[in-house]
């Protein structure tokens, strides 16, 4: 497999100028696009419709080249919120069979998969954990990545709205309580999806997991999961990224785990793990979380107590600034809400670099 990665700026959620130029010039073949990750400039909460707007714009545009069915099979992960220095952008992943007689090396490869749609009762439940774990394992197998060479698994997952509860006759609130708000359901969905990754990779044993652990027992987590919830879908769209010796890609991926929001050393370790220098970095993907303990490096923080600005928005701004300062590029991917994604208050950070 040969995987290519392209990072393109956006002036608005529906701005495809850079993508159009790349396709028109022949730099990107739309037939080879398998996944698109984006940072959109909404609030990242339940009513952030910039995510769906961006996905709809991309699907309609790409359908002109590949048809509606293939355009719909692409994995779209739009993460809302470009607080602070974060700059809106798209990261395009293409995949094609390796040309004959091209030497292989340990390089970037990927797998993509869509789960079935989830009911409101299943979102944030053990059922979701199991379905995600199954899908992740399938994607890893198809990609031909050894599990210890998986460095980042990005999932876009659904949330539960009040209307979902009203329309779904069988919704009984057993998994996610009816008293849980739509915003809280985002956390449960992210958490269950992340635990699905942890189960797939053997970081957590399914038989040891209970429904009560989801968004409660944060000692259980994945070191490579990044999950983002949105109202624009009902299933999970999954992108698995890792290295394989059969790759002919000019890129490589590595990762580390931030222990807290200011853990710049973890970002540097992730860069170093690719075997390349910082000037070879294509993009960095990180999770951000306001430490639920209310402290950061032993000092009190107020991110959880602000009634005007959601704590996920503050965390994205903090981690975004840390990451951007290291690579001197504000066009990095930082996603808020890190339930079961790295240790409490921290989160996974992955780096894709170009190979020398």
């Amino acid at each position: 497999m040969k995987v290519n990665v392209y990072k393109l700026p956006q002036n608005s959620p529906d701005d495809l100028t850079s993508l159009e130029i790349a396709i028109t010039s022949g730099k990107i073949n739309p037939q080879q696009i398998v996944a698109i990750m984006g940072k959109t400039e909404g609030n990242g909460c339940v009513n952030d419709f910039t995510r769906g707007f961006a996905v709809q714009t991309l699907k309609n545009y790409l359908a002109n080249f590949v048809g509606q069915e293939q355009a719909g099979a692409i994995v779209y992960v739009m993460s809302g919120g470009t607080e602070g220095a974060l700059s809106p952008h798209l990261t395009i992943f293409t995949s094609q069979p390796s040309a004959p007689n091209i030497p292989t090396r340990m390089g970037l490869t990927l797998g993509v998969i869509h789960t079935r749609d989830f009911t409101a009762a299943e979102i944030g439940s053990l059922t979701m954990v199991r379905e995600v774990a199954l899908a992740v394992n399938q994607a890893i197998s198809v990609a031909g990545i050894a599990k210890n060479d998986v460095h980042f698994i990005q999932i876009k997952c659904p949330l539960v709205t009040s209307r979902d509860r009203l329309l779904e006759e069988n919704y009984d609130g057993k998994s996610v309580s009816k008293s849980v708000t739509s915003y809280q359901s985002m956390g449960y969905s992210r958490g269950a999806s992340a635990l699905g990754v942890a189960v797939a990779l053997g970081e957590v044993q399914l038989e040891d997991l209970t429904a009560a652990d989801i968004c409660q027992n944060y000692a259980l987590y994945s070191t490579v999961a990044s999950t983002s919830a949105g109202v624009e879908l009902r299933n999970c769209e999954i992108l698995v990224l890792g290295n394989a010796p059969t790759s002919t890609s000019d890129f490589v991926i590595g990762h580390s785990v931030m222990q807290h929001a200011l853990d710049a050393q973890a970002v540097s370790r992730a860069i170093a793990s690719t075997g390349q220098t910082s000037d070879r970095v294509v993009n960095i993907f990180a999770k951000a979380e306001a430490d639920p303990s209310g402290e950061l490096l032993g000092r009190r923080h107020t991110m959880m107590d602000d009634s005007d600005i959601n704590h996920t928005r503050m965390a994205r701004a903090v981690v975004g600034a840390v990451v951007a300062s290291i690579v001197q590029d504000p066009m990095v991917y930082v996603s808020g809400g890190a339930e079961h994604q790295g240790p409490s208050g921290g989160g996974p950070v992955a780096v894709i670099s170009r190979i020398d």
Side-chain angles (χ1 to χ4, degrees):
M1 181 185 295
K2 182 175 183 179
V3 173
N4 283 320
V5 187
Y6 307 88
K7 186 168 70 171
L8 307 174
Q10 278 195 300
N11 294 314
S12 63
D14 64 337
D15 174 34
L16 301 182
T17 304
S18 294
L19 179 58
E20 290 173 345
I21 292 172
I23 290 176
T24 302
S25 67
K27 184 177 181 180
I28 293 179
N29 181 348
Q31 294 286 347
Q32 297 170 354
I33 297 175
V34 292
I36 302 176
M37 291 176 62
K39 282 304 301 180
T40 64
E41 54 211 87
N43 60 28
C45 297
V46 176
N47 65 332
D48 182 355
F49 299 109
T50 66
R51 298 173 304 218
F53 183 32
V55 170
Q56 182 184 50
T57 302
L58 284 162
K59 281 184 177 179
N60 289 341
Y61 172 69
L62 292 174
N64 295 320
F65 300 95
V66 302
Q68 293 286 351
E69 184 176 354
Q70 187 172 332
I74 294 170
V75 165
Y76 300 91
V77 180
M78 298 297 125
S79 173
T82 50
E83 296 81 6
L86 291 172
S87 181
H89 67 281
L90 298 173
T91 303
I92 312 290
F93 294 87
T94 65
S95 178
Q96 64 186 108
S98 298
N101 303 319
I102 299 296
T104 60
R105 57 181 169 184
M106 198 69 174
L108 181 66
T109 189
L110 60 77
V112 296
I113 195 167
H114 297 69
T115 69
R116 64 169 175 80
D117 286 358
F118 292 103
T119 65
E122 292 173 329
I123 294 174
S125 72
L126 283 175
T127 298
M128 191 176 198
V129 173
R130 294 189 193 98
E131 290 291 327
V132 168
L134 178 64
V136 167
N137 275 324
Q138 290 175 341
I140 291 173
S141 177
V142 170
I145 309 172
K147 289 190 176 181
N148 60 349
D149 290 323
V150 173
H151 290 283
F152 196 66
I153 298 181
Q154 177 64 58
I155 299 178
K156 190 68 188 182
C157 51
L159 59 87
V160 182
T161 66
S162 299
R163 182 169 174 79
D164 292 330
R165 293 187 173 101
L166 290 172
L167 293 178
E168 191 169 305
E169 293 181 2
N170 294 327
Y171 182 74
D172 57 12
K174 289 181 180 177
S175 300
V176 178
S177 170
K178 287 185 177 181
S179 65
V180 168
T181 66
S182 295
Y183 178 75
Q184 289 171 321
S185 80
M186 297 179 78
Y188 276 95
S189 184
R190 290 190 299 256
S193 297
L195 286 171
V197 173
V199 168
L201 296 181
E203 297 172 297
V204 173
Q205 300 304 310
L206 183 61
E207 56 269 23
D208 296 334
L209 190 64
T210 69
D213 287 320
I214 301 173
C215 289
Q216 296 295 326
N217 183 1
Y218 289 117
L220 304 176
Y221 60 82
S222 171
T223 58
V224 297
S226 172
T227 65
S228 174
V231 72
E232 66 271 18
L233 76 175
R234 302 303 306 166
N235 64 336
C236 284
E237 299 193 4
I238 302 171
L239 169 63
V240 174
L241 296 170
N243 298 315
T246 54
S247 174
T248 58
S249 175
D250 294 324
F251 303 87
V252 65
I253 186 170
H255 84 279
S256 186
V257 180
M258 298 180 73
Q259 299 299 312
H260 52 79
L262 299 177
D263 192 357
Q265 290 184 339
V267 181
S268 296
R269 286 195 301 271
I271 295 172
S273 74
T274 68
Q276 307 298 313
T277 53
S278 60
D279 61 314
R280 306 292 291 176
V281 171
V282 177
N283 208 352
I284 297 182
F285 309 89
K287 288 301 300 187
E289 180 178 65
D291 196 313
S293 71
E295 291 190 349
L296 176 56
L297 294 176
R299 304 292 192 183
R300 185 174 74 94
H301 72 73
T302 62
M303 287 185 277
M304 307 291 292
D305 302 320
D306 195 308
S307 299
D308 297 317
I309 304 175
N310 189 275
H311 60 88
T312 59
R313 308 194 70 185
M314 292 188 178
R316 276 192 296 268
V318 173
V319 175
V322 170
V323 174
S325 69
I326 293 172
V327 291
Q328 290 296 287
D329 184 359
M331 210 157 70
V332 290
Y333 181 99
V334 178
S335 172
E339 300 87 355
H340 302 291
Q341 300 153 73
S344 231
V349 54
V351 176
I352 294 178
S353 296
R354 189 178 296 275
I355 302 174
D356 287 327

